[in-house]
Amino acid sequence: MPYWLAQPGDAQQHDFIKRFDPRFWTVDFPRPMMASVVTTGPDSLRADCVFYQTDDLAGLIWESEDRWDHPLVAYETARDYRGCQLSFHWRSSGLMPLDAIDGPTLTIEGRDANGDPKSWYVRLWNYATGTPEDAAIALDFDAMDGGFLLPGEADPVWAGDIDRLFVSLVPPGYTGLDGPLPDTAEAWLELTGLACTGPASTIRIGDTMLPEHAMRLATGYDDAYNQTPARLLRNALHLGYRATINHYVGMSHYYRLARSTNGNLLITVSDGALNTACIAWHRDFAERAAALGFAPIFSLSYELFDEITPGGWKQRAENGDVALTGWSPPSTLLTPARSTVVFVLAAIAIAFAQILKDAGLPVKFQIGEPWWWIMQDGTGRICLYDASAQAAFGADLVSIPTIEGPQTPEQITMLDRAGEILAQSTADIADAVRTVDPAAELHLLVYLPTVLDETAPEAKRANVPLGWASPAFDVLQLEDYDWVTAGNRGATARGVAAMEARLGYPADRQHYLSGFVLNAEDAAQWAAIDAAADAARARGVAETFFWALPQVMRDGFTHFDIEEDEVQAFDDVQFPLALGREAVAAPAFSTAIVTTASGAEHRNSDWADARMRYDAGPGVRSEEDVGTLIAFFRARRGAARGFRFRDPFDHSSNGMTGTPDPGDQFLGTGDGQATHFALVKRYGDDPDQQVRAITYPVSGSIRVAVDGAEQASGWTFEAGEIRFDTPPDADAEVRAGYLFDVPVRFAEDRLEVSRATFRAGEAVSVPLIEIRPS
């Protein structure tokens, strides 16, 4: 499956929007408060806020540079606002009013006319007509002043170089100092009639619409809470995604909070399971998804932001250490042994399921990655020892210093009991979702590298309980991004087989979530992620997802579904050897040469490897040869279909035509995880070495060696790669020897042959050209 990492400026189709289009505003705010923004019409938006502290401040933001959209659909960077007039109607409730000292302020960040960094603080009340909570506001960027009192404190805005505009939203009890509000404060703001006029009011936006493809999309609220659902779904639609979206509701933004007796803010469901900002966002998301034909799966996990989690809810290691993930700030894992935890998760699941139902969508719900946490500090400590878990184990409670390696019968009994507890908790949550819709489709997401760690063979007793076996859930979803990005495809194959054997879900009742690129500098990992998705589809899973939309947008990942026959039809047949033995070979490069006025040259090589051309005409010497050639030409339909060609001068890993030896060509060095090594042939010496991909070795000719020892088994050749059943050891040198053919096609759709030509001793012209892999 082809893919592309698009860059800014790559969009080929464009449209135009007005500045301040409601879809492209964002929100930002500090923990623990919460805010969201949704569009309510083509010229209107609504922001919802939940405040807990006296220094909570949310920002409603417009950015001059689009940092959020995929490059193919992003709007242009336009920092010059001179000539713009912005107007809108303001209505709010629960916010500091417009006329207050700390009332809503438009902060403009950019540079002054001299190019020096500068911020202006524009009091919106100075440009408002109406009441402090219901007013018309008009802003002329050519005649606008910062400052509280005008004209005495006027600070004229220079609008020629603006980075960001930021409307501050605070509760009436705001002081700017750290401290609790007397009560949780909920507020909302509506901007309607948003209009931008003037000669600089229109900006260009990418409008590329990719063809619909069969891949699905995953996303997450923790990564996208600051954007409008309209913006996210526009990206999904334009990038060719349809049907199912797997939406993780997150672990740090959906919950309600209440103060404990010691003043800490902790999760609560006493007044509802979700905060108002989260409800507003997800309702809008669900309704827009339904209108566009998407069917979201809402996903809830046992992971929760540590700071707001009661101590008794957290999984713990045997020494009392809390189960913490590697995120910063950390999240923790909730114990499935505590009835309160299961009740709260069930209440949250019901609330999200109801949102789907109210939007007229089928209720599809995923319980995501439920497990007993294993400490990631190399000790293998499994977190089975919170107070609720210890009470549940009773007489089965024993010490498990490490989950790695073999376990005693008593430890195995405890791990089995842990699995039963976990399975019961997920069953209770699934049953809760079915109270919303008895026909709800329930999904279970399992992260294979953790639950099937080969160093901990008994961990699956706790983390892949038999209580999950089919038909406990409608769909089993599998994820393995650590294996994918490490190149350990053998582990994936073994993990999938083990999961199918243990739980009994056939491929057509499985989903696969492919990959996760955490950091932008690792965007090259998309190649492995795309390949893993292709492999999952090949084995027949019902749906395959890319995880996740925010990373897709950040890195410009662009997927295309193009069948192989659409790219380059190929017949795995050999060009008649007798005709090819006398062929003329011509390796060719593509080099752009620019000659300057002084006569100096600048040369740029466009290709990393030569593209071969051949003329097989010299091998045609008789009428019988002509008949063989014409029959082969017609069977390939001229240039339409490719085929194998044996280069008479270069078809072996040993020199050019020698007998292959397993140590001929260096393929790579093992790292203890990678199982796939591309088959290549190297020409020349470092650093100017040319590396040629070998995609059509001669069947039965490949010989493989690891650290000098030939491997008679334990590997296969597929799609241009040697694929080991188990990864070669770290620092092990992988080599191979082989014979190979070149994939070629006829260079033309016409073939001219006459008796007079070869009878006169003249060579027929039969041009062939190498096919490059897509």
Side-chain angles (χ1 to χ4, degrees), residues 63-80:
E63 294 181 270
S64 299
E65 179 184 3
D66 188 342
R67 299 187 300 118
W68 305 103
D69 289 297
H70 190 281
L72 298 182
V73 297
Y75 59 77
E76 68 172 314
T77 299
R79 292 188 169 90
D80 190 346

Side-chain angles (χ1 to χ4, degrees), residues 4 7-8 84 87 161 172 187 206 222 297 330 425 432 470 547 573 594 616 764 770:
W4 174 40
Q7 300 298 313
C84 288
S87 61
D161 193 1
D222 284 342
I297 303 168
S425 70
S470 177
W547 178 269
V573 296
V594 177
V764 177
E770 182 180 4

